[in-house]
Amino acid sequence: MDESEDLSFRQDELPEDRSLIVVDDDRAFAQRLVRAMELRGFEVRGAHSITEGIDLIRERAPAFAVVDMRLEDGNGLDVIAELARARPDARAIVLTGYGNIATAVTAVKLGAVDYLAKPADADDVTDALLAPSDDKAPPPENPMSADRVRWEHIQRVYELCNRNVSETARRLNMHRRTLQRILAKRAPK
């Protein structure tokens, strides 16, 4: 990465507290993101698990956090919740390769300011972390397909039922095995 690259913000736009944690179990991705965020002026500490992320927060709660949704030892939302408890004014974003509306809503309710799909580049991450709180997202250029809307609805009900397959199937009026097959597949485009 060239240090003279045109960044989408000015260094003087960074707040005084530039502390950032990156929590991602994809070590190569995390290392690249840590390096890129350091080039942008952040003081970055990295973690590869929920336990490590929570330890970093308890050691010194950062002003910013970038947290992967699915980590080897559980759900990254636990890190977001801990950060919200330790430092309510912190700005956190969630990164995931398994995006759905239900988890995005949960992430925001727990204190995340944005939700980005992987692979997100450092410019997207920086823009999300530094965006004004009252910024509204532009409408999507490519709206979801009908299959994706159906999948999102199923995921939302599944989350509302605390990930209980039988209860979700009952509420959706569908056979439990059919629901299990749908949940095992990747999200349609």
Side-chain angles (χ1 to χ4, degrees):
M1 182 172 278
D2 182 12
E3 285 190 50
S4 66
E5 79 177 274
D6 180 30
L7 304 177
S8 58
F9 69 98
R10 294 185 324 272
Q11 290 287 327
D12 63 353
E13 290 179 46
L14 282 176
E16 195 172 310
D17 185 351
R18 301 167 181 206
S19 58
L20 166 70
I21 62 169
V22 173
V23 184
D24 198 314
D25 56 1
D26 178 343
R27 290 178 187 270
F29 174 79
Q31 189 175 27
R32 283 191 309 273
L33 185 59
V34 164
R35 216 174 15 251
M37 298 309 285
E38 285 172 341
L39 284 173
R40 285 161 174 74
F42 289 91
E43 298 160 5
V44 189
R45 295 178 293 156
H48 302 293
S49 68
I50 292 170
T51 305
E52 290 175 14
I54 289 174
D55 287 346
L56 288 179
I57 292 167
R58 291 180 178 159
E59 179 183 305
R60 182 172 51 96
F64 302 98
V66 178
V67 181
D68 188 15
M69 175 67 87
R70 289 195 182 173
L71 298 163
E72 288 178 7
D73 60 341
N75 192 321
L77 294 179
D78 295 337
V79 177
I80 299 291
E82 180 64 26
L83 180 59
R85 277 191 295 278
R87 185 165 179 177
D89 65 327
R91 294 183 56 85
I93 61 170
V94 173
L95 293 180
T96 187
Y98 305 94
N100 67 57
I101 291 171
T103 51
V105 169
T106 303
V108 170
K109 284 181 179 178
L110 289 172
V113 296
D114 211 336
Y115 187 92
L116 301 175
K118 276 186 168 180
D121 68 14
D123 287 334
D124 293 336
V125 170
T126 304
D127 290 344
L129 289 173
L130 299 178
S133 300
D134 58 351
D135 245 13
K136 292 183 181 172
E141 289 184 27
N142 300 319
M144 289 188 280
S145 68
D147 287 338
R148 178 65 187 232
V149 171
R150 175 178 179 259
W151 188 85
E152 293 284 353
H153 176 68
I154 289 169
Q155 290 293 321
R156 181 172 181 273
V157 174
Y158 182 54
E159 291 293 328
L160 289 171
C161 293
N162 295 318
R163 302 176 145 271
N164 180 317
V165 174
S166 297
E167 178 63 15
T168 304
R170 187 186 66 72
R171 288 185 184 208
L172 292 172
N173 197 24
M174 90 178 11
H175 196 278
R176 187 178 54 78
R177 285 192 182 145
T178 302
L179 176 61
Q180 285 174 316
R181 278 194 296 276
I182 292 168
L183 293 173
K185 292 181 183 177
R186 289 197 126 168
K189 296 198 182 225

